[in-house]
Amino acid sequence: MSTLNHLIDEIKERWTSIMYAFFDPNPTLEEENGRKYVEFKCLGKNCRQTKRRYLDTADSMSTGGLRKHVISCWGKEVLKRASTADDIEQARDKVIIPYRESGTLTTAFAWKGKGKPTYSTRQLTKIQTKTEIVRWICEDKRPMKMVKDRGFLCLMKSGRPDYYVPSPSTVSQDVKQVFIKTRSHIARMLQESESRISLQMDAWTSPNHKAYVGFVASFEDQGKKRVIVLDIVAVPKVC
Ligand SMILES: [Zn+2]
């Protein structure tokens, strides 16, 4: 049993989907006829349902089954609200539990969600740290070697010297991975969009005399205008 518990800690690291917030944070790892599966207990007030996820199938990380249950048990509105949380714990503490206890959306919805930074009371897992660093480096345009800065490491590791901080090359690989995933996500989003898509181009020269062309797509997504940068290309010099 102890090896199974150890295994579940490893698997848990990879659970970042908001769907997990709707289930007991300590699912059990069971074994039946030599097949291991994780059993998720729904947190719904009168729901006794459990969902099994077998670990030996190709889609062992897929959250499709959990999502289906969440929608039928909690409804799309609660799921939508929970999705605005920064992480699973926040979604559970700020939206799901208040909703379960009060039975109304008002309590769960009193929480402001994105825009007002709130911080988890729990230390980030390895995967969460990696994800946050990719987001930070990309959103704030920081150099990847910043994770080696003495001051940064001092802030991250003081009081917890074992705290995991990725190396610049790991950050670089992670950024590429996220880029690849995001690119196909955007492609799918544009292909599936029912809105008309307007493509724009903008060319300009940087202060060091290099010419660039940017490609932007504008479209409507769930009643809101969205603008996405598709690519920025450096124009080769013609002499
Ligand atoms: Zn349920």
Side-chain angles (χ1 to χ4, degrees):
M1 198 57 202
S2 64
T3 41
L4 287 187
N5 284 335
H6 179 68
L7 184 62
I8 202 154
D9 284 340
E10 273 180 28
I11 304 169
K12 263 173 129 175
E13 283 267 299
R14 288 180 274 149
W15 292 342
T16 48
S17 164
I18 214 72
M19 299 307 153
Y20 298 108
F22 291 87
F23 296 85
D24 190 307
N26 295 308
T28 49
L29 189 59
E30 311 281 345
E31 198 164 349
E32 189 184 65
N33 302 328
R35 292 184 74 197
K36 289 189 185 69
Y37 64 89
V38 183
E39 195 165 79
F40 295 93
K41 283 191 196 78
C42 177
L43 289 175
K45 202 166 194 173
N46 299 310
C47 182
R48 303 251 177 279
Q49 282 219 40
T50 54
K51 288 270 144 202
R52 276 185 189 193
R53 163 108 52 81
Y54 285 92
L55 299 181
D56 56 1
T57 54
D59 61 349
S60 68
M61 288 305 288
S62 155
T63 51
L66 300 183
R67 187 189 165 83
K68 220 171 149 186
H69 179 76
V70 167
I71 291 173
S72 73
C73 190
W74 298 81
K76 275 188 180 161
E77 279 303 305
V78 183
L79 174 58
K80 207 167 139 192
R81 187 63 188 158
S83 306
T84 64
D86 289 331
D87 55 40
I88 295 170
E89 281 83 31
Q90 198 182 62
R92 199 179 282 129
D93 296 347
K94 301 283 183 186
V95 180
I96 296 163
I97 301 297
Y99 176 72
R100 185 182 69 178
E101 298 313 316
S102 68
T104 66
L105 288 173
T106 358
T107 329
F109 281 28
W111 173 63
K112 287 269 180 282
K114 274 185 183 128
K116 199 178 174 191
T118 45
Y119 303 102
S120 173
T121 50
R122 273 170 237 207
Q123 195 171 310
L124 299 182
T125 63
K126 192 175 166 182
I127 294 286
Q128 285 171 332
T129 302
K130 278 164 71 105
T131 312
E132 276 303 323
I133 286 180
V134 167
R135 191 174 163 182
W136 168 49
I137 296 285
C138 294
E139 280 186 355
D140 298 333
K141 304 175 194 74
R142 303 290 180 229
M144 290 170 196
K145 64 174 186 186
M146 205 154 171
V147 291
K148 276 255 185 195
D149 279 8
R150 186 208 60 83
F152 174 69
L153 289 173
C154 172
L155 288 168
M156 299 304 285
K157 286 178 175 281
S158 293
R160 42 181 189 183
D162 295 334
Y163 190 83
Y164 170 78
V165 175
S167 68
S169 63
T170 306
V171 176
S172 163
Q173 280 167 21
D174 290 347
V175 168
K176 279 181 202 149
Q177 284 290 325
V178 171
F179 171 76
I180 292 166
K181 287 241 162 89
T182 310
R183 182 169 57 182
S184 57
H185 177 75
I186 290 176
R188 206 168 47 237
M189 199 172 172
L190 292 174
Q191 282 156 10
E192 289 171 2
S193 170
E194 283 167 10
S195 150
R196 288 190 177 206
I197 299 165
S198 162
L199 294 169
Q200 297 113 44
M201 225 173 87
D202 189 13
W204 74 101
T205 312
S206 69
N208 55 349
H209 310 290
K210 282 188 177 158
Y212 292 94
V213 184
F215 298 89
V216 175
S218 308
F219 61 104
E220 192 197 309
D221 179 32
Q222 293 169 5
K224 287 198 180 126
K225 180 187 165 192
R226 290 197 70 155
V227 181
I228 290 176
V229 178
L230 297 180
D231 206 357
I232 298 175
V233 185
V235 181
K237 260 199 177 138
V238 188
C239 298

